[in-house]
Amino acid sequence: MLLLDCNDASLRLWREQQDTWSPGFAWFSEGRYQFGEVAWQHARRVPREVNNRYWHRLSTQALSPALGPARHPADLAHEHLETLLNGVTGELTLIIPGSMEANQLSLLLGILQTLPVTVSSVVHRSALAGAVAGQSCAHVELQLHQASITPVFVEHTLARAGETQLLPGHGLLGLMDEIAELIGQQFVTQTRFDPQRR
């Protein structure tokens, strides 16, 4: 059994007691795509060659700005999944966030049908968190471009996720920018050197 946990921050594939983590970044260089940590490391140095919104805006609308031969975010998502799965076959359980819209889920399932895996079930991440907690709760999730809050109701050991509320712009990237800004201010205060100035 394979588990694929997917949101705009990263993909995580569990198989045979091994997990593979791949951040949601695509880097196009020298005529080919690279995904995950390698792409993330280049995001600040060559921002025009890196895209980190294709999971957040999963669709068949044209990429803006373009990134290599990919026509739309779904092309990048397909390449990312193909790279992550790398010949893995079998039944797959897909874990998705409450922020994923129905049309995005449909598109994702269509992409997975083109790969050598069979999606056997789809699980709402917040319901899974509530089931693990064993009681009703609020599941707060930090994604790359936003945060989300989902109420989870647990009755008779059955967890059900409520409607997800989104906090756009309050994701991991925004948090890292705020931390970098605070560190930069400390540098200026203590040494009169601004590390963010070019």
Side-chain angles (χ1 to χ4, degrees):
M1 173 68 85
L2 305 167
L3 289 173
L4 176 62
D5 189 2
C6 167
N7 70 24
D8 78 334
S10 66
L11 302 178
R12 189 174 293 264
L13 177 68
W14 280 277
R15 67 169 190 229
E16 299 171 4
Q17 300 175 352
Q18 173 188 6
D19 91 74
T20 306
W21 175 71
S22 183
F25 287 76
W27 175 37
F28 186 73
S29 176
E30 299 178 2
R32 69 184 187 100
Y33 291 106
Q34 293 187 58
F35 297 93
E37 289 184 79
V38 172
W40 190 0
Q41 291 168 0
H42 287 83
R44 297 259 185 204
R45 285 184 280 185
V46 285
R48 292 184 178 158
E49 297 175 10
V50 176
N51 186 310
N52 62 20
R53 294 191 173 272
Y54 60 101
W55 284 111
H56 180 65
R57 295 183 177 159
L58 184 60
S59 70
T60 55
Q61 293 180 354
L63 271 174
S64 179
L67 185 69
R71 297 161 296 165
H72 39 68
D75 284 342
L76 291 176
H78 180 273
E79 290 286 329
H80 194 169
L81 285 166
E82 191 171 49
T83 301
L84 180 67
L85 292 171
N86 192 22
V88 172
T89 61
E91 287 196 357
L92 179 121
T93 297
L94 180 62
I95 303 169
I96 60 165
S99 60
M100 184 172 280
E101 298 171 4
N103 59 339
Q104 291 176 318
L105 174 58
S106 177
L107 183 56
L108 178 56
L109 291 171
I111 291 169
L112 286 167
Q113 281 183 341
T114 67
L115 299 171
V117 293
T118 304
V119 178
S120 60
S121 57
V122 178
V123 178
H124 194 294
R125 181 182 295 106
S126 298
L128 187 61
V132 169
Q135 61 185 6
S136 296
C137 59
H139 179 232
V140 179
E141 182 176 4
L142 184 65
Q143 298 176 9
L144 200 57
H145 299 282
Q146 63 191 1
S148 66
I149 303 171
T150 307
V152 181
F153 308 99
V154 179
E155 297 174 7
H156 309 294
T157 69
L158 180 66
R160 181 179 53 84
E163 186 176 339
T164 298
Q165 301 296 316
L166 300 177
L167 302 168
H170 294 282
L172 184 58
L173 289 179
L175 180 62
M176 290 187 326
D177 286 343
E178 287 180 26
I179 291 171
E181 183 67 31
L182 289 172
I183 291 171
Q185 289 172 4
Q186 288 296 314
F187 264 96
V188 171
T189 302
Q190 294 175 12
T191 66
R192 297 185 183 192
F193 169 72
D194 186 354
Q196 296 189 40
R197 185 170 179 224
R198 301 237 170 172

